[in-house]
Amino acid sequence: MERTPEQLAEQEALARLVRQCLAGETVAWHTLVTSQHRRVHSICYRFTGSPTDADDLTQDVFLKLYRNLAAFDVEKGSFNTWITTLTRNLLVDHFRRTRQDRVTGSLDASFDGEEDGATLGDRLADERPSQEHHVAGLELKVRIQDALKQLSPELREAVILRDLEDMDYKEISLVLRIPEGTVKSRISRGRGELAKLLQRIEGKVV
Amino acid sequence: MADFNQHNQFGSIRPAQSPDAQNCARFEAMLTDAVDGTLSAEDQAAFDLHLLTCTACSVSLADAKRGLAWLELLRTGQPEPASDLLQRIFAQTSGQSTVQKNFQTADQEGTSTAAAQALATTSSEALTGQPLGPLHLVPESMSSMARLGVQTGTIGPLGINVIPFPQRVAARLAPLRQTLLQPRLAMTAAMAFFSVAVTLNLTGVHVTQLRASDLRPSSVKRSFYEANAHVVRYYDNLRVVYELESRVHELQRPSDASDAPASEPAEAPARPQPKPDTRPEPAPDRPVQPRPKPGTSLREPLFPDRRYSASLRPSAPHRDAQDPAPLTFGEPRPTQERLLA
């Protein structure tokens, strides 16, 4: 895997941190958690759309990391990939667990289950543009996040890892355990569907 | 081929027809690289050429670019994690050293335990600069442990999770019980119980009427003898048995004067009967009584001397000593002969 010198240095630093944790240095664990928790939280938040879920899932990720630290093998890959894989697996479990909640009565679900159909939320939404710019900016981000949440999970995770976390295709294929070609096609499809979902508000964005 | 994609009769451009569908799949795979701008020169040229004729792929490319633009907007301003998230994580991971021992899989046993214990010795006081008493850790770790499905007992003074014994036994038995409740095992158990119940019913023991007093040795013996007597009676009364016995009688009558004792052992191996106790024992001077007509099984009162009544007789131990089947040799002989008349 080609890596820039900065990435290599970061990888080495992480590997050293892990060794120190295993050797029993609490400060190393502290540093590890502090340096990684924002990224993990960001992935969790973008995938679930809920800050509280993101907090809980981040906690779970680090607990699992803590318990399985000894299983990490530097030879097998980068720590970043490993932690991202852990995060992604927990997100998948969470998604499956909460599937029941999504089946019934979601405002975001369209009538027939189509992604492009008029959702209940759309019908109830206030179509007038907001006066405040920063509120509009926030609203926009909220809408984009909502649209992201409506993507199917496979497309969602590919898009998040590529466009929001800047991982390269090789690493994403390791995390998601699919071939690189599939990664690329899922990213394209995810982006395309997101665009279709947001078509409605496109005209209002200055 | 390109003609297909031009204007149709009504002047509108038709979308790509199926001959191009395979191509479309190929170009879809190139889509991401096209957006990234990382296609090789010839690939890019082929892609552009395809786009000229294929509206579906053009639309896909445009959508992908737009979607990427939307996502770029999301890069900034993501919500902060909760302020106490770090605290919670450290509390959870520092207070879990001994619990971890219970849950590690085999391949993590060695180094992870050592690491965890080492991490636990330097408590979270070092991390936060404030002394965190055990009480502070207890509710958090217990709730988080409970959330993770860890069995929580009381937290001892060292932060050790002390699970009371009944809980541990229950936990040990719980998977066993779950295994036993699998349908096939439950069915087997039900069948076995059913068979046993039916057998007991046949032998005269009624499960529903069973009392504690029935388990006394005397009651058990009584039930046993009753069951035995019942079975013997049944066999005795079988027509087949009766016919065989009368046949034997006929054979023996001419020779009963001298050969009775000798015929007995000769008969014994010669007649492999299921019930050795129904073997006739003719006495030399036995009067020949008229045979009852076939079709009737009633000959005489079955147990005139109340042989098999429900009471402990002195002979009982004697019988037990000989044979489980009490009706074979020795005493019952006279009674047997009368039965066979």
Side-chain angles (χ1 to χ4, degrees):
Chain A
M1 204 174 349
E2 298 117 26
R3 288 213 174 280
T4 66
E6 295 88 24
Q7 282 173 328
L8 281 170
E10 191 197 338
Q11 219 179 314
E12 177 54 43
L14 272 175
R16 195 173 40 233
L17 260 184
V18 170
R19 279 196 299 274
Q20 285 171 339
C21 286
L22 287 173
E25 292 180 34
T26 321
V27 179
W29 172 246
H30 174 75
T31 314
L32 189 65
V33 172
T34 315
S35 63
Q36 298 296 315
H37 83 285
R38 278 185 192 280
R39 185 167 163 270
V40 171
H41 182 264
S42 159
I43 298 176
C44 295
Y45 173 70
R46 291 298 174 208
F47 191 86
T48 61
S50 150
T52 42
D53 281 349
D55 288 338
D56 289 339
L57 285 165
T58 309
Q59 211 175 331
D60 292 341
V61 165
F62 280 104
L63 183 67
K64 199 165 179 197
L65 191 71
Y66 181 77
R67 283 159 58 175
N68 297 333
L69 205 55
F72 171 62
D73 186 0
V74 191
E75 309 301 320
K76 288 209 188 120
S78 82
F79 188 74
N80 243 344
T81 312
W82 189 55
I83 201 176
T84 313
T85 313
L86 263 179
T87 310
R88 183 255 173 181
N89 290 344
L90 278 173
L91 284 171
V92 165
D93 291 343
H94 172 80
F95 180 83
R96 286 195 191 131
R97 269 202 311 272
T98 56
R99 193 182 299 166
Q100 272 305 107
D101 305 336
R102 276 189 298 277
V103 169
T104 53
S106 161
L107 272 179
D108 293 325
S110 61
F111 191 68
D112 295 328
E114 302 162 15
E115 293 230 11
D116 284 353
T119 69
L120 196 58
D122 283 334
R123 288 197 223 121
L124 294 175
D126 183 2
E127 295 287 350
R128 288 169 299 157
S130 161
Q131 299 291 331
E132 315 270 359
H133 281 300
H134 73 273
V135 174
L138 280 178
E139 272 186 10
L140 184 64
K141 288 207 170 119
V142 165
R143 284 189 187 226
I144 303 176
Q145 175 63 50
D146 283 343
L148 186 58
K149 188 132 190 265
Q150 287 180 54
L151 289 182
S152 76
E154 301 87 21
L155 302 182
R156 206 190 307 172
E157 61 187 0
V159 152
I160 288 174
L161 290 180
R162 174 63 186 174
D163 293 329
L164 296 176
E165 298 298 325
D166 290 327
M167 292 176 72
D168 55 34
Y169 297 116
K170 180 78 191 287
E171 211 176 347
I172 299 178
S173 76
L174 287 174
V175 169
L176 303 184
R177 304 211 190 141
I178 48 178
E180 255 184 73
T182 316
V183 171
K184 288 184 181 173
S185 83
R186 282 193 190 175
I187 291 171
S188 309
R189 274 168 41 212
R191 289 171 179 166
E193 292 200 17
L194 194 73
K196 287 203 193 97
L197 284 168
L198 290 166
Q199 240 170 358
R200 247 168 250 116
I201 66 171
E202 233 169 71
K204 299 173 191 154
V205 175
V206 177
Chain B
M1 275 297 174
D3 297 358
F4 277 103
N5 298 321
Q6 300 301 329
H7 307 275
N8 66 3
Q9 294 176 315
F10 301 97
S12 55
I13 295 179
R14 265 192 275 169
Q17 298 293 321
S18 45
D20 268 348
Q22 282 179 344
N23 266 343
C24 275
R26 200 177 123 232
F27 289 111
E28 262 177 44
M30 284 197 232
L31 205 55
T32 308
D33 291 325
V35 170
D36 287 341
T38 54
L39 281 177
S40 67
E42 50 187 276
D43 280 342
Q44 185 69 54
F47 191 70
D48 291 336
L49 195 61
H50 177 76
L51 282 186
L52 289 176
T53 53
C54 179
T55 31
C57 284
S58 311
V59 168
S60 302
L61 180 67
D63 282 343
K65 282 186 176 161
R66 267 208 322 278
L68 180 59
W70 285 122
L71 286 162
E72 295 291 321
L73 287 176
L74 270 190
R75 275 178 182 265
T76 55
Q78 63 203 18
E80 288 286 316
S83 51
D84 63 342
L85 180 63
L86 277 176
Q87 295 278 34
R88 274 152 55 184
I89 293 174
F90 292 135
Q92 214 178 1
T93 50
S94 309
Q96 283 250 339
S97 55
T98 45
V99 176
Q100 196 170 337
K101 257 196 265 187
N102 299 335
F103 288 93
Q104 275 171 356
T105 56
D107 60 354
Q108 298 158 15
E109 210 73 52
T111 43
S112 206
T113 319
Q117 284 192 330
L119 281 170
T121 49
T122 63
S123 69
S124 33
E125 293 173 359
L127 297 173
T128 60
Q130 293 171 14
L132 284 173
L135 279 176
H136 175 84
L137 284 175
V138 163
E140 286 211 45
S141 39
M142 277 192 77
S143 64
S144 54
M145 270 153 51
R147 198 159 60 85
L148 294 167
V150 173
Q151 244 192 346
T152 53
T154 54
I155 301 283
L158 295 175
I160 297 170
N161 187 18
V162 179
I163 304 172
F165 185 63
Q167 275 189 33
R168 276 170 59 193
V169 171
R172 213 50 75 67
L173 291 180
L176 186 67
R177 202 180 60 212
Q178 277 185 339
T179 319
L180 287 177
L181 284 178
Q182 277 182 20
R184 55 192 177 152
L185 289 180
M187 268 194 62
T188 309
M191 286 296 293
F193 175 74
F194 182 65
S195 316
V196 167
V198 166
T199 311
L200 286 178
N201 251 345
L202 284 177
T203 57
V205 177
H206 294 280
V207 183
T208 50
Q209 294 166 8
L210 213 53
R211 300 267 181 277
S213 60
D214 290 338
L215 293 175
R216 277 197 333 251
S218 56
S219 306
V220 171
K221 271 188 197 155
R222 176 169 50 105
S223 316
F224 173 68
Y225 293 139
E226 270 180 2
N228 242 332
H230 186 77
V231 171
V232 167
R233 217 182 309 150
Y234 175 72
Y235 272 104
D236 268 350
N237 294 344
L238 281 181
R239 185 201 165 96
V240 172
V241 170
Y242 162 70
E243 298 262 294
L244 268 174
E245 285 169 358
S246 51
R247 222 32 59 108
V248 166
H249 271 323
E250 282 178 36
L251 291 173
Q252 286 173 350
R253 234 182 291 148
S255 57
D256 66 357
S258 49
D259 294 345
S263 69
E264 222 188 274
E267 285 163 13
R271 280 176 291 123
Q273 292 198 8
K275 281 293 172 184
D277 52 9
T278 57
R279 196 176 312 138
E281 311 283 352
D285 53 347
R286 196 164 54 88
V288 177
Q289 296 184 12
R291 232 183 289 155
K293 294 198 179 60
T296 62
S297 57
L298 183 62
R299 298 178 187 90
E300 274 198 9
L302 285 172
F303 308 116
D305 60 345
R306 297 181 57 75
R307 172 137 210 92
Y308 302 113
S309 61
S311 60
L312 257 187
R313 300 170 64 87
S315 55
H318 176 59
R319 261 184 295 179
D320 286 322
Q322 283 178 340
D323 209 344
L327 312 170
T328 47
F329 312 110
E331 297 176 274
R333 214 167 291 183
T335 319
Q336 284 282 15
E337 292 164 8
R338 265 194 276 168
L339 279 177
L340 296 171

